[in-house]
Amino acid sequence: MQLLKWHGQLILLNFLMFMSWRPCRGLNVPSYDANYRANPTRRSAVFAQPSSYYDQYAAAGPKPLTADQRRAKLTALSNPDFYFPADPEADLAEANEPEPALERQRARPAPAAGSFSYNEKDKNGPSHWYRVDVRCGGRYQSPILLNTSSALLVNRKRPLRLDGQTNLPQTILLQNDGHSAKFTYNWRTGADRPVLRGGPLKTKYLFDQFHFHWGVNSTVGSEHVYDYQRYPMEIHLVFYNGLYESFAAAREQVDGIAVVGLFYEIYDHSVDEQLNTWTRFLRNVVEPNSQHTIEFIDTFPLYEVIGDVEWPYFSYEGSLTTPPCLETVTWIVATKPLLVTEKEMKQFRRLQSPTGLMVNNYRPVQKLNHRRVFLY
Ligand SMILES: *[C@@H]1O[C@H](CO)[C@@H](O)[C@H](O)[C@H]1NC(C)=O
Ligand SMILES: *[C@@H]1O[C@H](CO)[C@@H](O)[C@H](O)[C@H]1NC(C)=O
């Protein structure tokens, strides 16, 4: 009798061990041994072929889940900690590829503001950005495809808050930096600077600047692709971790940057309506590498640009979408688009870059690799 009881316990123990070991099998966690770190060649190898994702999702609608995806999703819902999207090819590639030597790359002096192009045909086009800065060939790059169906729902969420949204700056510096139109606010005191906190963020993040990515027409333009759709424009509000002294100091730190991205959708009910009156300043920076100071009397608060921060959003760990492509960004991408008129879009499409019209200044989507994307 005693023996039988023992036997039963053993079987139960075995069963428990089996269950706890099973979910780990699919993970294929890369081993971070010295060998991997010593191999400097892998980044260029990965990026030698041009991205095949380029715009193939622009027109297609959402596809139904395959049996595998459904299974993966069920696993995800029951145990988010063990979920990685089913992507056998990426798994294989990961197993054969050594991990990049991050420390060494950090130590490398940053190359002089290298010139990069958004044109895939150029020698310094998006698939060759790793030549401008090796970090652009990293594994955790942005933008990516965001799908509602494969994101992990976060149930116990802390609200995302943006304080100081209605504060007015002293002046606003508007720059055409050759790649985008950038608005940098000049605050009277540090206390006026808007602060982003909550949601996926562990500390306070201070507002630095916002800029845009847009298309030559309204079928393209946004960097992130949301449920297989590209929007005509995307705004990026860049924040840096308050633990660090400045944006420049923070951007090299793992938790240094948070970027809030919002899509724009065309509002076409009335041709004459002005939704984003601040777009009128763009005409002052048509020339590449020009700038314009918006005086106090004309300044506008962040609230006038993005309104309330009350939307569901995706969050994931990624990078800056332009060289040096630092992988220090916590992305927060809103699912609710803002509105813009075609007339206002024309103000953006009139801007000049050093090589012609500044349009289609969006980076192709990057591989997800083993990252998880959360939906808050
Ligand atoms: C979204 O779906 C595409 C195509 O099925 C896939 O390649 C991509 O990794 C998915 N993105 C996320 C964040 O899961
Ligand atoms: C819009 O731009 C895209 C990308 O450059 C191009 O493929 C497409 O033909 C354009 N569509 C229209 C309606 O002009």
Side-chain angles (χ1 to χ4, degrees), residues 88-300:
E89 262 172 49
D91 272 4
L92 276 181
E94 178 109 37
N96 296 328
E97 282 166 8
E99 200 55 22
L102 276 182
E103 291 76 8
R104 217 149 11 96
Q105 278 156 17
R106 288 250 163 79
R108 220 176 270 192
S115 74
F116 62 94
S117 152
Y118 281 103
N119 192 339
E120 204 49 76
K121 293 184 194 109
D122 288 350
K123 261 212 291 240
N124 54 354
S127 53
H128 301 289
W129 282 5
Y130 68 88
R131 290 187 192 142
V132 179
D133 194 307
V134 69
R135 291 169 290 197
C136 294
R139 298 188 52 75
Y140 305 119
Q141 291 288 298
S142 295
I144 59 168
L145 300 171
L146 299 167
N147 318 320
T148 309
S149 63
S150 51
L152 303 172
L153 265 185
V154 177
N155 290 318
R156 273 187 301 166
K157 46 194 154 208
R158 291 179 302 150
L160 183 70
R161 274 177 47 193
L162 179 51
D163 296 331
Q165 252 216 98
T166 51
N167 293 354
L168 275 178
Q170 254 180 325
T171 57
I172 300 174
L173 179 65
L174 169 56
Q175 289 167 296
N176 171 338
D177 63 7
H179 302 291
S180 183
K182 181 162 91 176
F183 294 76
T184 308
Y185 283 50
N186 169 26
W187 302 100
R188 193 176 310 276
T189 72
D192 286 347
R193 201 182 273 272
V195 174
L196 183 71
R197 71 180 93 195
L201 306 174
K202 294 192 178 73
T203 55
K204 294 181 195 171
Y205 284 72
L206 309 177
F207 175 61
D208 187 59
Q209 45 96 351
F210 62 80
H211 61 265
F212 300 84
H213 302 268
W214 62 90
V216 64
N217 61 46
S218 295
T219 65
V220 290
S222 69
E223 296 213 293
H224 287 93
V225 175
Y226 168 31
D227 282 348
Y228 308 97
Q229 192 184 349
R230 220 183 257 291
Y231 288 80
M233 184 158 73
E234 185 171 331
I235 182 176
H236 287 162
L237 298 111
V238 181
F239 296 79
Y240 66 93
N241 196 330
L243 293 178
Y244 309 110
E245 206 128 278
S246 62
F247 174 78
R251 66 175 210 165
E252 306 272 345
Q253 309 296 328
V254 194
D255 56 354
I257 305 175
V259 182
V260 174
L262 290 113
F263 300 112
Y264 280 89
E265 203 170 67
I266 298 296
Y267 177 87
D268 54 8
H269 298 291
S270 146
V271 199
D272 292 327
E273 207 148 352
Q274 273 251 350
L275 302 175
N276 305 285
T277 51
W278 48 266
T279 51
R280 71 182 188 279
F281 297 111
L282 292 171
R283 73 170 81 100
N284 298 305
V285 291
V286 170
E287 295 304 314
N289 305 312
S290 61
Q291 62 178 50
H292 169 74
T293 301
I294 301 169
E295 297 302 337
F296 178 73
I297 184 109
D298 287 325
T299 58
F300 46 93

